[in-house]
């Protein structure tokens, strides 16, 4: 199929509201030739408007979150989970913590603000800023758990530093939420250095003060905070306020790294013109991190939402499509301030009203906004041609796209039949053959492991994809007790300009080499090509100083230990269909990207070992049992699963390779249990499965867990035919 080449890189720094809406617009109308990347510290971004409702207990954490993984998939964008730390404008690079920098032709910044107070003694150690919202939401949830576990802790109260609208709204939400969760009153104190609720009209202020009093929230005005201790906040006049939870909502502060960009700033915020362009013509900014030089406005999410359409239009223009437009923000906006319970105060230009109807109105506005970003449907598969060969309709039944990673492998049955036709190996310097995880070559007195693996891209983050492919390729060497030595890369890149090829290759090789170097290996060369989609593979050699661990050594009584949970195939299949939560996907990718060389060394006493990849746990265990001529009993509830995998499996999500893997069930004794279906789920960079002598199993398991691997003892090797019994 003819594919259009890529010619420009657009990078969105931050997952703020404006960028979220740009992603949605891009998914509905992508710009051919442009490659879109979004960088954000986490897989989701809290929606500002619903935070007080979450704190008050009216919304769940899931309802609060904008799922950037799903949005990025819908937009066809690369999501890089990392924290931006700077710009190298001379080279057109975004610096990202913990990984190689990312190149851009056009960039946009929407990273919000923070309310950290590093100059306030003790706050960094004993307080938590209301912004960024992610950390505050996690901190408040953890504090509620502490209040439920230790009820007397509620008497210590809570302190909000900052008496603006945000601080007052948060204090009322905390008071209501704590009482709803625990049944007891949480004493909340708001401390404001000046006059509370600046910019709020007289009638609205009076209503808010009345509701503060109703909830028992104490307001202290005209006094600064001197220091923050674990259990108290001391004011400038020596007054000490007891607290078990201290948050800061005083003012909007810009992120410090912006000051190092060389961009023109206003009070630390990126100065932009009426097109939202900064002093650098290739960099735009929107949301709270931007200062509108042509129309200064207070920091409020409503302006970011209204700016999104103009930002989208102007980013496209900067990439070569059309003309720019001016952003003209409204002069004022309607404030809907939650009152803790399901009631709100409305205020605009002196007009004020309050009541439950206003909260319901605000709730509808907020949910409508979130629905726009979550009610996303994948592109429909193209209709089959009227004239087609027999069997085509059955092969593409359901219009389901082919999975990436190991979900795109050839099935176990087809592969076994193909390999069965190979002639026997007659060379005496090839120790093992096609039945084992890798070939072992004898070169003089040295044993050399040789293996190769290639993955079809399943994430648009090719740097992360390179790391996972490197881990995946080394799995066979680790499984045989070898130490990785060298790797040759086999890369197929999408069609793109020469400059973009260089960018992509530089990032892939840097990220992959970091993984190989950490394991004592190095990339020694390789082969590249252009094609319709990304694939990354590595041929790896490894040194085997001892007799290699093969599939054939398992003995009755051995304990079966698995080093990481199952479910990656199901989660990746669901992610492609926009059915997986971003947090599940991020956690699965984190599992896959973690090297297992240290785990292999801990399991060096194994009688047999393999890595669990495309054929699933059942398929790879079956290979071990066939080679060893033994059976196995698995304890289903002991097998660890990735978060979300069981829920998706119960909903019927299956990877492309699942049906082929499921054929092995005829040689198994299976219970009727939804968990059992994940035994056939293809894994990418899956765990090591080891048959360990029973007297060493506990020590190995303890060492694996101490090293950070979520390992589990999942079963036992049995004397008997190669049958898998699952209990």
């Amino acid at each position: 199929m003819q594919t259009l080449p890529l010619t420009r890189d657009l990078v969105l720094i931050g997952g703020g509201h404006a960028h979220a809406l740009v992603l949605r617009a891009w998914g509905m109308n992508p710009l051919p030739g442009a490659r879109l990347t979004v960088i954000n510290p986490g897989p989701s971004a809290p929606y500002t408007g619903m935070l007080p409702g979450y704190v008050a207990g009216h919304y769940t954490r899931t309802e609060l979150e904008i799922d950037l993984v799903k949005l990025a998939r819908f937009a066809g964008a690369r999501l890089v989970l990392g924290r931006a730390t700077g710009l190298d404008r001379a080279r057109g690079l975004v610096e990202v913590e913990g990984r190689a920098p990312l190149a851009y032709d056009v960039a946009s910044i929407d990273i919000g603000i923070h309310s950290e107070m590093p100059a306030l003694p003790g706050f960094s150690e004993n307080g938590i800023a209301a912004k960024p919202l992610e950390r505050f939401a996690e901190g408040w949830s953890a504090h509620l758990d502490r209040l439920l576990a230790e009820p007397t802790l509620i008497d210590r109260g809570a302190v909000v530093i900052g008496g603006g609208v945000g601080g007052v709204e948060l204090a009322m939400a905390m008071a209501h939420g704590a009482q709803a969760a625990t049944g007891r009153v949480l004493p909340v104190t708001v401390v404001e250095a000046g006059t509370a609720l600046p910019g709020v009209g007289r009638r609205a202020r009076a209503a808010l003060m009345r509701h503060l009093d109703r909830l028992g929230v104490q307001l202290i005005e005209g006094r600064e905070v001197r220091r923050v201790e674990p259990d108290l906040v001391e004011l400038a006049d020596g007054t000490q306020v007891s607290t078990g939870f201290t948050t800061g909502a005083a003012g909007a502060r810009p992120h410090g790294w912006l000051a190092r960009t060389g961009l023109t700033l206003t009070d630390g915020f990126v100065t932009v013109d009426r097109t939202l362009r900064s002093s650098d013509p290739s960099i735009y900014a929107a949301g709270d991190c931007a200062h509108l030089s042509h129309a200064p406005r207070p920091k409020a999410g409503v302006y970011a939402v209204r700016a999104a359409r103009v930002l989208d239009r102007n980013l496209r223009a900067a990439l070569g499509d059309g003309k720019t437009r001016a952003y003209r923000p409204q002069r004022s906006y309607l404030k809907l301030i939650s009152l803790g319970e399901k009631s709100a105060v409305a205020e605009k230009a002196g007009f004020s009203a309050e009541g439950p109807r206003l909260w319901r109105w605000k709730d509808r506005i907020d949910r409508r906004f979130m629905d726009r970003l979550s009610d996303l449907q994948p592109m429909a598969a193209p209709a089959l041609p009227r004239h087609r060969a027999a069997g085509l309709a059955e092969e593409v039944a359901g219009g389901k796209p082919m999975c990436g990673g190991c979900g795109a492998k050839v099935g176990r049955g087809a592969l076994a039949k193909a390999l069965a036709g190979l002639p026997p190996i007659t060379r005496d310097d090839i120790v093992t053959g096609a039945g084992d995880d890798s070939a072992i070559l004898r070169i003089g007195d040295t044993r050399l492991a040789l293996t190769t693996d290639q993955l079809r891209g399943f994430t648009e983050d090719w740097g992360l994809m390179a790391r996972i492919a490197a881990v995946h390729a080394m799995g066979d060497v680790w499984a045989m007790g070898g130490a990785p030595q060298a790797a040759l890369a086999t890369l197929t890149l999408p069609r793109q300009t020469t400059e973009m090829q260089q960018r992509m290759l530089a990032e892939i090789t840097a990220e992959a080499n970091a993984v190989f170097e950490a394991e004592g290996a190095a990339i020694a060369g390789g082969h590249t090509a252009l094609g319709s989609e990304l694939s990354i593979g590595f041929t790896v050699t490894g040194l085997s100083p001892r007799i290699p661990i093969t599939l054939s050594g398992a003995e009755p009584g051995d304990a079966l230990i698995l080093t990481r949970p199952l479910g990656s195939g199901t989660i990746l299949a669901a992610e492609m269909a926009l059915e997986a939560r971003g947090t599940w996907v991020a956690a699965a990718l984190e599992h896959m990207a973690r090297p297992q060389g240290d785990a292999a060394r801990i399991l060096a006493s194994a009688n047999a070992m393999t890595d669990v990849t495309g054929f699933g746990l059942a398929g790879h265990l079956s290979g071990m049992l066939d080679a060893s001529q033994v059976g196995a009993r698995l304890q289903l509830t002991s097998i660890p699963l990735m978060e979300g995998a069981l829920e998706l499996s119960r909903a019927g999500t299956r990877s492309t390779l699942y049906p082929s893997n499921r054929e092995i069930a005829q040689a198994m004794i299976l219970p009727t249990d939804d968990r059992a279906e994940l035994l056939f789920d293809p894994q990418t960079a899956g765990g090591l499965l080891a048959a360990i002598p029973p007297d060493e199993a506990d020590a190995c398991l303890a060492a694996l867990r101490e090293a950070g691997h979520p390992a589990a003892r999942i079963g036992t090797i049995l004397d008997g035919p190669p049958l898998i019994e699952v209990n």
Side-chain angles (χ1 to χ4, degrees):
M1 182 191 302
Q2 176 70 23
T3 57
L4 295 174
L6 299 168
T7 61
R8 293 290 183 272
D9 271 313
L10 168 61
V11 176
L12 307 181
I13 305 170
H17 302 351
H19 281 176
L21 290 170
V22 168
L23 284 170
R24 180 180 183 274
W26 207 270
M28 298 176 70
N29 182 27
L31 181 63
R35 179 166 56 196
L36 178 59
T37 297
V38 58
I39 304 168
N40 197 68
S44 61
Y47 172 46
T48 309
M50 296 175 79
L51 179 68
Y54 166 74
V55 173
H58 306 318
Y59 302 119
T60 66
R61 181 67 185 269
T62 302
E63 290 175 305
L64 173 73
E65 301 285 355
I66 299 171
D67 193 326
L68 296 175
V69 173
K70 186 178 291 186
L71 263 177
R73 171 63 71 177
F74 176 73
R78 171 172 64 149
L79 173 61
V80 173
L81 297 179
R83 190 177 303 277
T85 58
L87 292 175
D88 183 341
R89 290 167 48 213
R91 295 194 296 162
L93 297 174
V94 182
E95 296 164 357
V96 182
E97 188 176 65
R99 62 177 292 160
L102 310 182
Y104 68 87
D105 294 298
V106 177
S108 177
I109 306 173
D110 183 13
I111 57 175
I113 55 178
H114 72 89
S115 52
E116 298 281 357
M117 291 179 272
L120 177 60
F123 183 83
S124 297
E125 299 81 8
N126 305 308
I128 184 167
K131 292 187 177 183
L133 301 182
E134 298 95 324
R135 185 165 170 257
F136 174 81
E138 292 169 2
W140 174 250
S141 178
H143 186 64
L144 281 185
D145 290 341
R146 289 193 294 271
L147 294 181
L148 290 169
E150 188 180 345
T152 57
L153 182 62
I154 201 168
D155 296 328
R156 287 167 56 184
V159 171
V160 178
I161 303 173
V165 169
V168 167
E169 188 177 31
L170 203 54
M172 291 188 290
M174 290 163 61
H176 180 85
Q179 185 166 10
T182 67
R184 300 185 61 190
V185 175
L186 173 70
V188 180
T189 302
V190 178
V191 181
E192 169 57 46
T195 301
L197 297 169
V200 175
R202 178 179 56 82
R203 291 178 60 188
R205 176 184 168 86
L208 292 171
M209 297 294 281
R210 185 171 65 253
H211 285 285
L212 286 173
D213 186 63
R214 175 183 58 82
L215 289 166
V217 177
Q218 181 185 10
L219 176 61
I220 299 176
E221 298 180 272
R223 277 184 275 182
E224 294 186 351
V225 174
R226 177 183 293 166
R227 62 188 176 94
V228 177
E229 297 290 341
D231 57 354
L232 64 87
V233 171
E234 183 176 305
L235 307 185
D237 62 0
T239 301
Q240 294 185 343
V241 182
S242 174
T243 182
F245 183 84
T246 302
T247 185
R253 294 175 172 82
H255 290 277
W257 67 265
L258 294 175
R260 301 189 297 273
T261 62
L263 297 171
T264 299
L265 306 178
T266 301
D267 298 326
F269 301 100
V270 180
T271 305
V272 297
D273 62 18
R274 63 182 64 252
T275 68
L276 303 176
R277 187 173 57 184
S278 74
S279 55
D280 184 326
S282 64
I283 298 175
Y284 290 71
D288 288 348
C289 70
H291 170 76
L292 304 174
S293 61
H294 65 293
R297 293 291 187 273
K299 303 301 180 186
V302 64
Y303 295 115
V305 172
R306 297 284 182 88
R309 182 175 297 181
V310 174
L311 179 64
D312 176 60
R313 176 64 267 163
N314 292 349
L315 290 175
R316 292 170 186 266
L319 293 166
D321 178 39
K323 298 180 179 180
T324 60
R325 297 178 183 174
Y327 172 51
R328 299 181 178 86
Q330 65 271 42
R331 292 186 177 277
S332 62
Y333 65 97
L334 176 68
K335 299 183 184 72
L336 288 169
I337 307 167
S338 300
L339 299 173
E341 60 185 359
K342 291 184 177 181
S343 186
V345 166
E347 197 265 346
K348 182 178 181 180
F351 167 80
S352 178
E354 64 176 287
R357 289 185 178 181
L358 291 171
W359 189 91
R360 291 194 293 270
W361 184 25
K362 182 181 186 302
D363 178 61
R364 284 195 298 272
I365 293 171
D366 290 337
R367 289 186 183 275
R368 191 180 303 122
F369 175 79
M370 292 298 284
D371 286 346
R372 291 174 63 193
L373 299 175
S374 60
D375 187 15
L376 307 170
Q377 299 299 320
M379 294 288 290
L384 291 175
R386 180 181 176 185
H387 301 286
R388 58 182 183 265
L392 181 60
E394 292 77 10
E395 188 65 23
V396 298
K400 179 180 176 180
M402 185 174 69
C403 291
C406 277
K409 286 181 69 169
V410 173
R412 185 173 185 265
L415 182 61
K417 290 177 182 178
L419 293 178
L422 290 175
I425 296 173
T426 58
R427 294 183 62 104
D428 58 7
D429 54 359
I430 300 178
V431 180
T432 59
D436 275 296
D437 287 322
S438 63
I440 299 293
L441 312 180
R442 186 185 295 112
I443 304 174
D445 295 332
T446 301
R447 291 185 180 88
L448 188 73
L450 175 64
T451 184
T452 188
D453 259 302
Q454 187 161 7
L455 298 176
R456 177 175 178 266
F458 52 81
T459 171
E460 296 295 331
D461 182 357
W462 52 84
L464 177 61
M465 183 75 204
R467 285 182 168 270
I468 293 172
V471 171
H472 183 77
M474 285 189 284
D476 289 339
V477 174
W478 289 326
M480 299 193 78
Q485 176 197 37
L488 297 176
T490 304
L491 308 176
T492 301
L493 307 183
R495 289 183 62 203
Q496 54 197 290
T497 65
T498 301
E499 183 179 359
M500 294 179 77
Q501 292 172 30
Q502 293 170 350
R503 294 173 181 176
M504 198 171 190
L505 283 171
E507 190 177 336
I508 287 173
T509 53
E511 295 293 338
N513 200 54
V515 176
F516 283 117
E517 281 192 339
E519 295 297 321
I523 296 177
H527 175 77
T528 60
L530 296 179
S532 61
E533 61 182 4
L534 173 69
S535 70
I536 302 178
F538 295 99
T539 297
V540 180
T541 61
L543 299 176
S544 185
R546 46 163 284 179
I547 296 174
I549 303 172
T550 65
L551 297 174
S552 60
E555 298 180 358
D558 283 351
L560 286 170
I561 290 179
L562 180 66
T563 60
R564 67 178 41 160
L566 305 179
S568 63
T570 295
I571 290 171
L572 293 178
E575 192 271 332
M576 290 181 67
L578 302 178
E579 294 172 353
R581 294 182 190 171
T583 51
W584 298 345
V585 177
L589 293 173
E590 186 175 354
H591 279 299
M592 288 185 270
R594 172 158 188 187
Q596 298 189 93
D598 57 342
R601 290 187 286 274
I602 292 170
L603 296 170
S605 62
N607 288 324
M609 187 154 59
T610 185
D611 61 332
V612 179
T613 53
F615 303 142
L617 177 62
H620 287 278
L621 175 57
S622 178
M624 181 187 292
L625 301 184
D626 287 342
S628 302
Q629 285 300 293
V630 291
R633 179 184 296 118
L634 297 180
Q635 186 62 45
L636 194 57
T637 56
S638 297
I639 298 173
L641 303 178
M642 293 183 183
E643 184 184 5
L646 184 57
E647 183 175 335
L648 291 169
S649 182
R650 283 172 174 164
T653 302
R654 299 287 185 265
S655 182
T656 308
L657 196 57
Y658 167 86
S660 176
N661 287 351
R662 188 66 169 74
E663 293 174 3
I664 200 175
Q666 59 189 352
M668 300 174 65
I669 300 175
L670 281 172
T672 303
D673 191 307
D674 291 319
R675 298 174 67 95
E677 298 307 313
L678 289 165
L679 299 177
F680 312 104
D681 187 46
Q683 306 303 290
T684 299
L688 296 173
L689 176 65
I692 299 291
D695 58 342
E696 299 180 30
D698 288 343
C700 283
L701 193 58
L704 286 167
R705 290 175 176 171
E706 185 177 354
H709 296 278
R713 184 172 182 166
I714 65 170
T716 306
I717 296 294
L718 304 177
D719 189 8
L723 178 72
I724 302 175
E725 176 186 336
V726 183
N727 294 334

